[in-house]
Amino acid sequence: MINRRKIKQAGRTAFLSSFWKCVAAALILGLAIGGNNGPSGTNFGYNEVNYGSQSASGNLSAVFSPAILLSLLLGFLIVLLIGVLISIFLLQPLGAGAKRFFLLNREHGRDTNFGELLYAFNNSYLNIVKTLFLQNLLIGLWSLLFVIPGIVKSYSYRMVPYILAEKPDLNWRDALSYSQEMMDGRKWDCFVYDLSYIGWFIVSALTLGIAGLFYVDPYKACSDAELYTVIRDAHFNRPHIYPGENQYGTGNNGTGGIWQ
């Protein structure tokens, strides 16, 4: 059973050690996660205009003619496709880089290189893109069976981006398999861990996202990285050292060595 209090305390320590970098990295991570959403809020309408003897039904027929409807549909599909491609090839790799940043930040604090956000673009980029795409595809397919199987699978594959952040050239099957093994028997603990942030999410909503931007999101991102290292170290039977214990530079952050 994971120790939520120690994980969140360690996450706060890592966050405060590099406040502004963590805020910026969490913002990018939020954009990467939100990048899976399609375009919304588009409203097509028309103003009622009196053209003398022209009937309202005639106006409607002109506005909603098959050619115009087809053009609107094609335009929507093109925008949707562009959004999906941006998410797959840009935002999700950025998200993996952000998670690598948080992994290293728990080790190095303010000395962490912010350029780690671009890590995926310089290290087995296509493998990372393929693995993250297949991860999301599998979660989506399981979600089609009902909500609960999709949620379960999302927790099973939760660690995939972190694994890629440490071992970017790992085969996609191995990355998903490792995540499933690491989360075996721990999915409920992680679910309860996520629920423990509900109060903070309410505070973020009440402050119109300001608290989320400058505290809640980076705090949870740092804590999530700590959660991963706790589960990873337990899986590989390694001792775990929390940020702040024996100062920084303990060599326990894991930048691929465990996956050799």
Side-chain angles (χ1 to χ4, degrees), residues 54-75:
Q54 188 174 13
S55 66
S57 60
N59 291 336
L60 287 174
S61 298
V63 172
F64 294 108
S65 66
I68 292 179
L69 288 176
L70 181 59
S71 298
L72 292 176
L73 177 60
L74 287 176

Side-chain angles (χ1 to χ4, degrees), residues 27-43:
L27 177 61
I28 292 174
L29 181 59
L31 291 174
I33 295 173
N36 293 325
N37 297 327
S40 62
T42 306
N43 180 30

